[in-house]
Amino acid sequence: MIYLDNAATSYPKPEVVYEAIMNQMREAGANPGRSGHKMAIEAGRQIFAARENVAKLFNIDNPMQVVFTGNATESLNLAIKGVLRPGDHVITTSMEHNSILRPIKTLEKLGIENTIIQCDFAGRVEVDAVRGAIKDNTRLIVMTHASNVTGTLMPLEEVGKVAKEHSILFLVDAAQTAGIFEIDVEKLNIDLLALPGHKGLMGPQGVGILYIREGVEVMHFKEGGTGSRSEELIQPDIIPDRYESGTPNSPGIAGLAKGIEFILEAGLNNIRSHEEALTQYFIDELKKIEGVKIYGPHNAKEQAAVVSININEEDSSEIAYILDKVFNIAVRPGLHCAPYAHKTIGTFEQGTVRFSIGYFNKKEELQQVVAAIKEICSQLH
Ligand SMILES: Cc1ncc(COP(=O)(O)O)c(C=O)c1O
């Protein structure tokens, strides 16, 4: 199979990730932070090492500000619902995933206003539009680093500056860029960073991360056992314990730690260069095929390694089905949990066929994909 669905989850994972998961379960399979015996201490040590790896990759001062969750969706919900209060206002964009839009829409019912800034046809947002949307009660700006539909990169540095100037919290959804692009929470003025462990960070499914800048008050939404201050009936305010009640996904976190080590060794620049070169090659080849419509910036420098297309007026699910069944190529059709993004680029009815490239993809695979698309187009004419 040619796997081009890395925006949903990366596959395959580095060999060291598979090994780390098995080793954790075999050799440190006790419950971390609980019992105090040797194996429990080793399990806790491995989780702390994972926090340190996350901190290193994103230039986070204090690893204890790294909270493990189940996925990026949980991280975004924790941040959005934990920060906003009735009477507040939040700004976001029309290119966001439902993991941002749905919590924001739910909060409307509690008297939390929102502004969804309209992006252009290629998914770009104007920084001035963000600035212009700020009101006295704006408490949060939340946006993705790159669209999961078109790959379009957002102007994080500029928006981060605007947020800082106005003392507004800045939450970034790095689901499509973490482990591929340099993200420095200090340089970009990021207060809250939501990450999936299972995409570019190369870990297994079932792990997410939320970085919370020291001093930012985020209300927890679950209470329970943390292994700390058990004598108290109220949730401890120690971070990360406050947000991590219940037994963690220790095997998943051990896998994520190795995924990040793999990335640090390979080098973010090398990973990005490889994906950028393949993306540009793919876009250039697609442009030559009659009947193919490409969405987004059409320029690998302005987008993550995500390319959405349509073939004439064909249903995107039909094309993805043919790619899978006839050519053994895995892609994702439809709306990609981002309906406003599809409204923005004019594909709400048709959806798009999304090809998402990962570090393990090779040029020869994309050559085969281009040949497959040519053949589908010629059959349809
Ligand atoms: C931009 C974006 N945000 C959030 C998510 C949600 O990530 P998860 O599946 O880890 O909850 C995704 C996943 O596709 C995404 O692409």
Side-chain angles (χ1 to χ4, degrees), residues 51 64-85 88 90 98-104 106-107 112 139-140 142 169-173 191-195 207-213 216-223 235-236 238-245:
R51 279 190 227 284
M64 300 305 265
Q65 297 300 122
V66 170
V67 173
F68 288 118
T69 63
N71 45 51
T73 301
E74 191 182 324
S75 304
L76 288 163
N77 270 266
L78 174 56
I80 293 168
K81 293 175 181 164
V83 156
L84 293 169
R85 295 286 165 271
D88 286 344
V90 51
N98 272 341
S99 297
I100 288 178
L101 295 176
R102 285 181 173 167
I104 284 177
T106 297
L107 291 180
I112 293 160
R139 174 139 178 80
L140 180 71
V142 45
L169 294 174
F170 188 33
L171 163 61
V172 172
D173 171 2
D191 298 300
L192 299 141
L193 181 67
L195 307 160
V207 195
I209 298 155
L210 179 66
Y211 157 68
I212 304 174
R213 181 180 290 284
V216 173
E217 169 56 20
V218 178
M219 185 60 191
H220 53 273
F221 69 76
K222 60 179 179 180
E223 279 128 14
Q235 188 71 358
I238 316 162
I239 301 172
D241 300 23
R242 179 177 177 190
Y243 305 106
E244 289 184 352
S245 287

Side-chain angles (χ1 to χ4, degrees), residues 7-8 70-74 76 95-97 99-100 144 146-148 173-176 195-199 207-208 332 336-337 354:
N71 45 51
T73 301
E74 191 182 324
L76 288 163
M95 291 306 283
E96 306 305 325
H97 194 273
S99 297
I100 288 178
T144 189
S147 159
N148 66 315
D173 171 2
Q176 294 302 332
L195 307 160
H198 61 99
K199 302 191 199 229
V207 195
R332 181 171 169 194
H336 314 98
C337 301
R354 182 185 74 181

Side-chain angles (χ1 to χ4, degrees), residues 130-149:
V130 177
R131 199 180 280 111
I134 294 173
K135 308 207 272 185
D136 288 347
N137 60 340
T138 305
R139 174 139 178 80
L140 180 71
I141 298 173
V142 45
M143 67 167 55
T144 189
H145 187 184
S147 159
N148 66 315
V149 175

Side-chain angles (χ1 to χ4, degrees), residues 179-204:
I180 300 146
F181 289 76
E182 195 198 315
I183 301 172
D184 179 326
V185 296
E186 293 307 324
K187 232 199 263 173
L188 299 172
N189 290 315
I190 295 172
D191 298 300
L192 299 141
L193 181 67
L195 307 160
H198 61 99
K199 302 191 199 229
L201 293 179
M202 311 268 192

